[in-house]
């Protein structure tokens, strides 16, 4: 049994450069457009880690559990191990489902926060459509609450929340960052003549939100797509 990345790359394993965080219940064409738009102006294309291509796709629940099951620690999951190797993180939103209504998407951003990636300018990139504004601008946008996020496997949610609550990080700070990324306006980063699927860099935690930057193995965590 081989994942797509193994089939394409063979034994020529690639180290992950950019970890892609996204939700499976999305429009695949929109997802691809967001990826292509993000790296359209990069002279050297990165090796990207996408769970759909880096993990073996099957309907066999036992094989799925072997790949994705967290056991007692979600840091052992392939998503977590890949993120530990990544230099950058790309959040790909969509117009089908709220990423941060899903516990694994919340977990991935939490891990990036815990690893200090969000403190480094230019590391966190956001792509895809921005959630619509409220009709009444005076009405506050709903905040993200990681404890309310769903999971296909209830045991995954339990172990993830246990790890988050035992991390020493404040839940309020985690939810604040999740909310910031959810509503980050990529259109403000759109280059002249750019497509509707814009992307931009979210400000690092120690930057003012107005100072936005634009950026014109045998182990599965080491695999990305071939350039």
């Amino acid at each position: 049994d081989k994942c797509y990345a193994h089939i394409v790359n063979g034994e020529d394993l690639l180290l992950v450069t950019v970890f892609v965080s996204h939700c499976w219940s999305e429009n695949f064409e929109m997802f691809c457009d967001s990826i292509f738009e993000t790296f359209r102006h990069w002279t050297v294309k990165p090796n990207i880690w996408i769970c759909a291509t880096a993990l073996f796709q099957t309907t066999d629940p036992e094989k799925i559990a072997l790949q994705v099951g967290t056991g007692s620690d979600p840091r052992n999951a392939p998503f977590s191990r890949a993120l530990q190797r990544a230099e950058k993180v790309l959040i790909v939103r969509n117009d089908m489902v709220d990423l941060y209504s899903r516990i694994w998407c919340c977990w991935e951003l939490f891990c990036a926060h815990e690893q200090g990636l969000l403190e480094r300018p230019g590391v966190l990139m956001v792509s895809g459509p921005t959630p619509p504004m409220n009709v009444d601008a005076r009405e506050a946008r709903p905040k993200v609450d990681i404890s309310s996020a769903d999971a296909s496997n209830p045991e995954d949610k339990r172990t993830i929340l246990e790890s988050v609550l035992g991390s020493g990080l404040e839940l309020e700070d985690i939810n604040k960052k999740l909310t910031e990324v959810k509503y980050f306006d990529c259109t403000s980063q759109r280059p002249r003549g750019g497509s509707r699927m814009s992307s931009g860099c979210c400000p690092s935690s120690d930057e003012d939100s107005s100072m936005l930057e634009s950026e014109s193995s045998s182990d599965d965590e080491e695999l990305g797509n071939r350039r």
Side-chain angles (χ1 to χ4, degrees):
D1 295 336
K2 290 186 176 181
C3 65
Y4 178 78
H6 273 265
I7 294 171
V8 172
N9 297 325
E11 298 303 317
D12 184 18
L13 304 179
L14 303 176
L15 293 175
V16 58
T17 308
V18 178
F19 178 93
V20 178
S21 179
H22 69 113
C23 182
W24 286 9
S25 302
E26 64 195 351
N27 179 284
F28 184 69
E29 182 178 0
M30 177 178 287
F31 172 70
C32 292
D33 286 346
S34 294
I35 296 289
F36 293 141
E37 177 64 23
T38 298
F39 303 116
R40 183 160 57 100
H41 298 294
W42 286 39
T43 304
V44 179
K45 304 304 182 186
N47 299 327
I48 59 177
W49 195 94
I50 302 173
C51 59
T53 59
L55 299 179
F56 176 63
Q57 301 303 304
T58 177
T59 57
D60 186 331
E62 292 186 1
K63 292 182 178 180
I64 293 174
L66 286 173
Q67 294 186 101
V68 183
T70 65
S72 60
D73 188 352
R75 288 177 175 80
N76 293 329
F79 314 97
S80 308
R81 301 200 308 271
L83 190 51
Q84 290 172 3
R85 305 289 185 90
E87 298 174 10
K88 292 178 179 288
V89 179
L90 172 62
I91 309 294
V92 181
R93 301 176 304 202
N94 65 84
D95 61 3
M96 302 288 290
V97 62
D98 174 10
L99 261 66
Y100 298 122
S101 67
R102 307 301 301 172
I103 196 72
W104 277 109
C105 295
C106 292
W107 170 255
E108 289 164 356
L109 190 62
F110 162 76
C111 287
H113 181 31
E114 187 179 48
Q115 293 168 209
L117 295 177
L118 306 189
E119 310 299 325
R120 294 159 49 192
V123 168
L124 179 62
M125 301 175 289
V126 182
S127 185
T130 304
M133 292 283 290
N134 293 319
V135 175
D136 186 348
R138 294 169 298 179
E139 182 181 350
R141 286 171 161 174
K143 295 181 179 179
V144 176
D145 181 3
I146 190 172
S147 63
S148 299
D150 296 322
S152 300
N153 184 345
E155 182 64 12
D156 285 354
K157 177 173 180 176
R158 185 188 69 78
T159 57
I160 285 173
L161 288 179
E162 279 188 358
S163 293
V164 169
L165 294 174
S167 68
L169 296 176
E170 294 292 334
L171 195 61
E172 182 179 353
D173 292 339
I174 296 168
N175 287 334
K176 180 179 179 181
K177 196 61 185 179
L178 290 167
T179 303
E180 178 185 345
V181 172
K182 175 179 177 177
Y183 293 112
F184 175 67
D185 185 5
C186 293
T187 60
S188 66
Q189 306 290 298
R190 181 182 298 172
R192 185 171 299 176
S195 73
R196 68 182 181 87
M197 299 307 300
S198 296
S199 63
C201 290
C202 215
S204 58
S205 298
D206 57 356
E207 290 178 296
D208 185 88
S209 60
S210 64
M211 300 298 290
L212 296 174
E213 297 183 349
S214 68
E215 185 171 272
S216 12
S217 104
S218 53
D219 292 333
D220 281 331
E221 69 267 26
E222 294 183 342
L223 292 177
N225 291 335
R226 183 175 294 277
R227 295 177 183 174

